[in-house]
Amino acid sequence: MKNWIQKTLVIAVALLTFGVISPNHVIWENLLDDKANQKSISSHNAQPTYAVEWSKEEPSTFIEDAIIQAKEQSLLKFGSRIGPIITNEFDEVIFPKIQEAIEMALFNMDNKTLKSLAISEKPSGDHSEKIFHIFDTTTKSDLIRFHVRTENRPQDGYFFNFHYHISSDQFAKHYKLGDIYWSKNMPPKWLS
């Protein structure tokens, strides 16, 4: 019976604290322990000791957050019909290049400028190209635009052409990230 109560209590605390206090935590070592009941009063007056473990991780930067959001926006753009088919190739071939492009474009920016940047949160649907844009929130101007275009190549079929544009050349040039083959049949609309 005592074991059952202890297990229930451990599970309840783990759920209520979202796993912050785990079952192998110091609290559980003395809880409902037979030896704890037999200890003298003087041992209960002893000061408890706590171990604090500091994480050496630095807070995330905008570049790290942008890479995470880029992945989310890309998967959102693909939708449930295109996503499952091209996600593996996208993860292996295209996304590392997107990550590299973000890092290169934002690497030399100071912290103040990086703090004013944001990522657009709504990729365009139908047959539009936009996946996401990184823009300055103070001026509302885009710095880098990531797009995917559906191309019908005669005799070959449909391909998804991933590319980006940068503000330094007024978004005129396509910087190619890569292509993913779909099939000879027309792909569904984005976000579908």
Side-chain angles (χ1 to χ4, degrees), residues 3-191:
N3 217 3
W4 179 81
I5 293 171
Q6 183 178 6
K7 288 180 182 179
T8 304
L9 188 58
V10 167
I11 292 170
V13 170
L15 288 173
L16 290 173
T17 62
F18 298 108
V20 173
I21 299 177
S22 61
N24 61 357
H25 197 272
V26 177
I27 293 173
W28 304 115
E29 291 177 6
N30 295 324
L31 186 66
L32 297 174
D33 192 5
D34 289 337
K35 295 177 184 175
N37 293 336
Q38 297 172 357
K39 290 184 180 177
S40 66
I41 296 174
S42 62
S43 67
H44 287 289
N45 292 338
Q47 293 293 325
T49 58
Y50 299 99
V52 177
E53 189 174 317
W54 294 99
S55 173
K56 293 184 179 182
E57 293 180 22
E58 296 179 16
S60 64
T61 64
F62 175 77
I63 296 173
E64 293 167 353
D65 292 340
I67 291 168
I68 292 168
Q69 289 180 348
K71 178 83 165 195
E72 292 172 1
Q73 293 302 312
S74 299
L75 295 177
L76 182 64
K77 170 82 171 179
F78 301 156
S80 61
R81 295 177 67 195
I82 296 174
I85 297 169
I86 69 167
T87 299
N88 289 339
E89 190 172 353
F90 174 79
D91 289 343
E92 293 172 10
V93 179
I94 306 297
F95 191 71
K97 294 178 182 177
I98 289 175
Q99 184 175 354
E100 183 182 331
I102 291 172
E103 290 170 350
M104 285 183 4
L106 306 180
F107 180 73
N108 291 327
M109 293 187 176
D110 59 19
N111 285 336
K112 183 179 178 184
T113 306
L114 286 174
K115 287 180 182 179
S116 69
L117 298 180
I119 291 187
S120 60
E121 295 184 1
K122 293 186 180 178
S124 58
D126 294 334
H127 297 289
S128 300
E129 292 188 7
K130 177 184 170 187
I131 302 174
F132 66 92
H133 296 172
I134 296 177
F135 64 97
D136 188 335
T137 56
T138 55
T139 63
K140 304 291 186 209
S141 60
D142 292 339
L143 297 175
I144 186 167
R145 299 173 178 171
F146 288 91
H147 293 164
V148 57
R149 179 178 58 226
T150 304
E151 294 179 345
N152 183 10
R153 299 177 187 164
Q155 306 296 322
D156 292 334
Y158 287 90
F159 285 81
F160 298 124
N161 172 262
F162 292 86
H163 59 276
Y164 66 98
H165 308 271
I166 54 176
S167 61
S168 61
D169 66 359
Q170 286 72 40
F171 307 106
K173 184 177 178 186
H174 280 92
Y175 295 91
K176 187 174 180 175
L177 296 168
D179 295 329
I180 295 179
Y181 176 73
W182 174 255
S183 76
K184 297 233 180 212
N185 300 323
M186 185 173 184
K189 295 179 180 179
W190 297 113
L191 301 176

